[in-house]
Amino acid sequence: MSELRRRRGRPPQDEAGKRREAILDAAIAEFGDKGYDAATIRAIAERADVDPALIHHYFDSKADLFADAVRFPLRPQAAIDAILEGDMDQLGERAVRYVLTLWENPEFQRRAVPLMRAAMGSKFTTPIVMQFLNRELAAKVAARIAAERQTSESDAQYRTALILSQMYGMLAGRYVMGIPGLADAPMDDLVAAVGATIQRYIDTP
Amino acid sequence: MSELRRRRGRPPQDEAGKRREAILDAAIAEFGDKGYDAATIRAIAERADVDPALIHHYFDSKADLFADAVRFPLRPQAAIDAILEGDMDQLGERAVRYVLTLWENPEFQRRAVPLMRAAMGSKFTTPIVMQFLNRELAAKVAARIAAERQTSESDAQYRTALILSQMYGMLAGRYVMGIPGLADAPMDDLVAAVGATIQRYIDTP
DNA sequence: GTCTATATTCCGATAGAC
DNA sequence: GTCTATCGGAATATAGAC
């Protein structure tokens, strides 16, 4: 009995933090498959071939583990500014191409999927994701639109929201839900089609 | 003690199915607030001021309760055909206006939100929602586009997926996540802006 | 129809030996 | 760092009295 137990006397510390990495990797996969609530620490431990208690040794709580698991994708920060700086006429296509290229990176995708799920998960998780999204992205886009197009602040916010809604729908459909026709579409097709939409949300009065 | 218990000796059967309605109403609210996994039968029972066991009397399982709670929104079925029948040139605006009008109905919205959450909830809930969506909606749209525009089946599927992605993003942003600028936009503005997008996804080669 | 009581399982988290 | 053992609670679900 007790055969679900981890094998005992594990070589203490294979290499520095190797098991910790395995835990994070398993957590990303579990949160990505099941969403935050349905994912369990025990299932993550089993997936990482690790004792559940070890997870609590490395991470204080389930919420902390989730935060660490999705930390990576927040990186692109710098590139966003560069994209917004270019000429306004091709901003739509440029933005879509950048976002899609980012998502084609499997490492990014794996960490971003749990965040996309959390954004729609509950009325409690939504504001957490939205706060980050607004601070890192939406505010900058709205400011750029307001400055260039010289519209009111609320109009810029409205245009930004339209852009976000199409971006979210595209990414959710392609990478999370796997909608047929969208998940397997060539990137260039999407850049042209959705890029034109974004551009129109920027331009049209 | 045991003061969390329901008051005993409830008037047997207020009116036919009145408590059952209260349970369904509470379930819609809980599933809408927290999503399927985080919502609990106990919390639903407390919200409905009902004993948890009574829920199991009316509904066999949590999944059954969820299914019954969101059953209503599947109704519009008939109207979809009417919208697709009209002239192709204004199909975009017509579709957006119809969808938004539907969602402005609070009864529809309350039941549709849990479904939208479930669509992004996990890799297990996604196909359940998608199957319904495809059968009731996507297939018809794709057929109409393929017939009218005389494109290949896969091209029609691609266009339909683009349309769905923008629709999902708009509804999720406006009614589920409550994105500022989108949640409070006048319906006519959205009909014009998003309607034009949908129309372009139908038309542009 | 309604509720008490409970079976059964699983959860996140902790204490402490090694 | 790793694992055993377990705490304390909450989950869904069921059996059966009233």
Side-chain angles (χ1 to χ4, degrees):
Chain A
M1 62 198 65
S2 86
E3 204 23 72
L4 280 183
R5 299 295 170 208
R6 306 287 112 242
R7 43 183 176 277
R8 64 192 75 186
R10 184 79 62 135
Q13 190 171 353
D14 278 1
E15 293 148 39
K18 191 145 194 183
R19 333 269 320 261
R20 191 179 189 277
E21 282 307 309
I23 291 170
L24 273 176
D25 195 63
I28 292 167
E30 279 287 308
F31 285 131
D33 284 351
K34 306 181 181 174
Y36 179 80
D37 286 307
T40 67
I41 289 189
R42 287 161 137 90
I44 292 169
E46 190 172 358
R47 196 162 185 156
D49 191 30
V50 142
D51 191 280
L54 191 61
I55 296 185
H56 282 105
H57 171 71
Y58 282 118
F59 309 92
D60 282 345
S61 67
K62 184 181 176 182
D64 282 352
L65 175 59
F66 181 83
D68 279 356
V70 301
R71 181 146 304 168
F72 165 78
L74 322 192
R75 209 62 55 86
Q77 249 314 87
I80 294 174
D81 298 334
I83 289 177
L84 286 176
E85 276 175 13
D87 68 311
M88 206 75 166
D89 289 345
Q90 295 173 335
L91 184 53
E93 287 203 0
R94 211 162 59 241
V96 173
R97 185 178 299 281
Y98 169 73
V99 166
L100 286 177
T101 303
L102 210 56
W103 275 77
E104 290 296 326
N105 176 358
E107 285 305 307
F108 182 91
Q109 188 180 142
R110 276 161 44 82
R111 287 168 173 85
V113 166
L115 271 180
M116 295 282 282
R117 292 205 196 282
M120 283 283 290
S122 75
K123 66 188 309 187
F124 306 104
T125 56
T126 294
I128 298 174
V129 181
M130 290 272 295
Q131 182 180 347
F132 152 75
L133 200 71
N134 185 59
R135 180 164 32 85
E136 305 291 333
L137 194 71
K140 292 183 178 181
V141 173
R144 176 87 166 95
I145 292 179
E148 190 76 16
R149 302 238 80 89
Q150 297 186 337
T151 62
S152 71
E153 192 173 329
S154 77
D155 182 69
Q157 188 190 46
Y158 167 63
R159 291 164 184 274
T160 303
L162 281 174
I163 293 171
L164 284 184
S165 77
Q166 172 61 98
M167 285 287 198
Y168 184 83
M170 177 187 70
L171 297 172
R174 182 174 171 92
Y175 297 108
V176 184
M177 301 163 116
I179 294 180
L182 196 60
D184 52 351
M187 189 194 295
D188 287 343
D189 289 3
L190 286 177
V191 169
V194 180
T197 296
I198 306 296
Q199 192 67 44
R200 212 169 36 72
Y201 289 158
I202 296 174
D203 293 337
T204 310
Chain B
M1 58 196 65
S2 87
E3 201 25 71
L4 280 184
R5 300 294 169 208
R6 308 284 112 244
R7 44 183 177 278
R8 64 192 73 186
R10 185 77 62 131
Q13 190 171 354
D14 278 2
E15 293 148 41
K18 191 147 193 183
R19 333 268 319 259
R20 191 179 189 278
E21 282 307 310
I23 291 171
L24 273 176
D25 195 63
I28 292 167
E30 279 288 308
F31 285 131
D33 284 352
K34 305 181 181 173
Y36 179 79
D37 287 306
T40 68
I41 288 188
R42 287 157 130 91
I44 292 169
E46 191 172 357
R47 197 161 184 156
D49 192 28
V50 144
D51 192 280
L54 191 61
I55 296 184
H56 282 106
H57 170 70
Y58 282 119
F59 310 92
D60 283 344
S61 68
K62 183 181 176 181
D64 282 353
L65 175 58
F66 181 84
D68 277 357
V70 301
R71 180 148 305 169
F72 164 80
L74 322 192
R75 210 63 54 87
Q77 251 313 88
I80 293 175
D81 298 333
I83 288 176
L84 286 176
E85 275 177 16
D87 68 310
M88 206 74 166
D89 289 344
Q90 295 173 334
L91 185 53
E93 287 203 359
R94 211 161 59 239
V96 173
R97 185 177 300 281
Y98 169 72
V99 167
L100 286 177
T101 303
L102 210 55
W103 275 78
E104 290 296 326
N105 176 357
E107 283 305 306
F108 182 91
Q109 187 181 143
R110 275 162 44 83
R111 287 168 171 85
V113 166
L115 271 180
M116 295 282 282
R117 292 203 196 282
M120 284 283 290
S122 75
K123 68 187 308 185
F124 306 104
T125 56
T126 293
I128 298 173
V129 181
M130 290 273 294
Q131 182 180 347
F132 152 74
L133 200 70
N134 185 59
R135 179 164 34 85
E136 304 292 332
L137 195 72
K140 292 184 178 182
V141 174
R144 175 87 167 95
I145 292 179
E148 190 76 14
R149 301 239 80 87
Q150 297 186 336
T151 62
S152 72
E153 191 172 331
S154 77
D155 182 69
Q157 187 189 47
Y158 168 63
R159 292 164 184 273
T160 303
L162 281 174
I163 293 169
L164 284 184
S165 77
Q166 173 61 98
M167 285 287 198
Y168 184 84
M170 177 187 71
L171 297 172
R174 181 175 171 92
Y175 297 108
V176 185
M177 301 163 111
I179 295 179
L182 195 61
D184 51 351
M187 190 195 293
D188 286 343
D189 289 3
L190 285 177
V191 169
V194 180
T197 295
I198 306 296
Q199 191 67 45
R200 212 171 34 72
Y201 289 157
I202 297 174
D203 293 336
T204 311

